[in-house]
Amino acid sequence: MSPIRNWPDAPASIERIRFSVMAPARCGITLGSLEYNDEVRSSISSCELAGRGSDMTSGSAIRDLHARLVRPPSHERLRAGLLGAAVVWLWVFASDLASGMPLRTATFLGRGVISLAAPGAPEWASVVAFTIVHCGLWTLVATLLLVAVHVARSTPQVLMFVIVVFILLQLAITALTMALSQGTLGVLAWRSVFVGNALGWAATLWYIIRWHPELRSEFAHSED
């Protein structure tokens, strides 16, 4: 029997300390890592009930942990998104530079964005507009991917949905590239937009898989 239970004068605070130490183990959480078991949601719910009986502060902390499992940290979202955006931007710049027309793609795409708010804006404004929208879109994509990764810890089947959406996005990018290749960009659209998009996805997915090695086992259970 636990020494705490044998000690009749043990204050309630000691019991709360014991619960705080044991709660991570009950929830199937490995401290100092990002590994969680397949039934983390039900485990956390059980621990939350135990926390209400022992200490409301512990129950609140477990609810916060439950939220973090679904909502990825902001620094993780920014790193994954900005990595993909930077790879695409640098590839587009290098591709335009190799063709003898620096920033042509960024200026062309940025002009389409800024023309709604400021028609006739200078080229540098078009490049800035393209860069801002470009980084924002990649950060949004990375955020959605990371949310799916966190949800997949308890529901691996969501990864199959992500794969379907990814395929549809690539088809949309292919159609957009075909449209751009018929216009001002010409063949440059395939080298700048299409290849750059592929490199950006590769960089973002590499980052996510690098920091979430549990995805391998989740993919294996995605069809269960």
Side-chain angles (χ1 to χ4, degrees):
M1 185 176 297
S2 172
I4 294 178
R5 299 183 184 274
N6 288 332
W7 185 15
D9 297 327
S13 59
I14 296 181
E15 190 67 23
R16 289 197 296 270
I17 293 172
R18 188 173 69 86
F19 174 79
S20 300
V21 172
M22 296 301 295
R26 294 177 185 174
C27 295
I29 301 170
T30 303
L31 296 179
S33 69
L34 294 177
E35 297 179 0
Y36 303 87
N37 61 20
D38 294 334
E39 300 178 352
V40 65
R41 287 182 181 273
S42 59
S43 299
I44 290 177
S45 298
S46 300
C47 289
E48 189 174 18
L49 291 175
R52 289 171 183 170
S54 176
D55 184 69
M56 291 304 296
T57 304
S58 300
S60 177
I62 293 174
R63 285 194 294 271
D64 293 340
L65 175 61
H66 184 283
R68 288 197 297 272
L69 290 176
V70 178
R71 184 177 57 194
S74 58
H75 66 84
E76 189 177 29
R77 289 176 281 169
L78 285 174
R79 288 175 183 173
L82 293 180
L83 175 62
V87 169
V88 175
W89 203 100
L90 291 174
W91 173 261
V92 169
F93 175 76
S95 178
D96 290 345
L97 189 63
S99 64
M101 295 174 287
L103 299 176
R104 178 185 180 185
T105 303
T107 302
F108 175 77
L109 296 177
R111 188 179 297 119
V113 174
I114 204 173
S115 61
L116 300 175
E123 289 189 358
W124 66 266
S126 299
V127 174
V128 171
F130 166 75
T131 303
I132 294 174
V133 173
H134 174 69
C135 291
L137 287 175
W138 274 99
T139 302
L140 175 62
V141 167
T143 299
L144 295 177
L145 282 174
L146 286 167
V147 168
V149 167
H150 283 244
V151 172
R153 288 171 175 167
S154 59
T155 312
Q157 292 80 3
V158 75
L159 294 177
M160 297 302 298
F161 174 75
V162 172
I163 292 174
V164 172
V165 173
F166 174 77
I167 293 173
L168 293 176
L169 283 175
Q170 299 315 303
L171 291 175
I173 291 295
T174 302
L176 175 62
T177 306
M178 291 178 64
L180 292 174
S181 65
Q182 301 298 321
T184 305
L185 292 180
V187 182
L188 185 63
W190 290 100
R191 187 173 65 187
S192 296
V193 179
F194 187 79
V195 177
N197 169 74
L199 292 175
W201 275 103
T204 301
L205 292 176
W206 170 84
Y207 177 88
I208 293 175
I209 295 173
R210 170 69 176 78
W211 292 101
H212 293 275
E214 73 276 7
L215 281 173
R216 297 186 183 92
S217 61
E218 289 168 1
F219 268 114
H221 294 87
S222 61
E223 298 181 357
D224 295 347

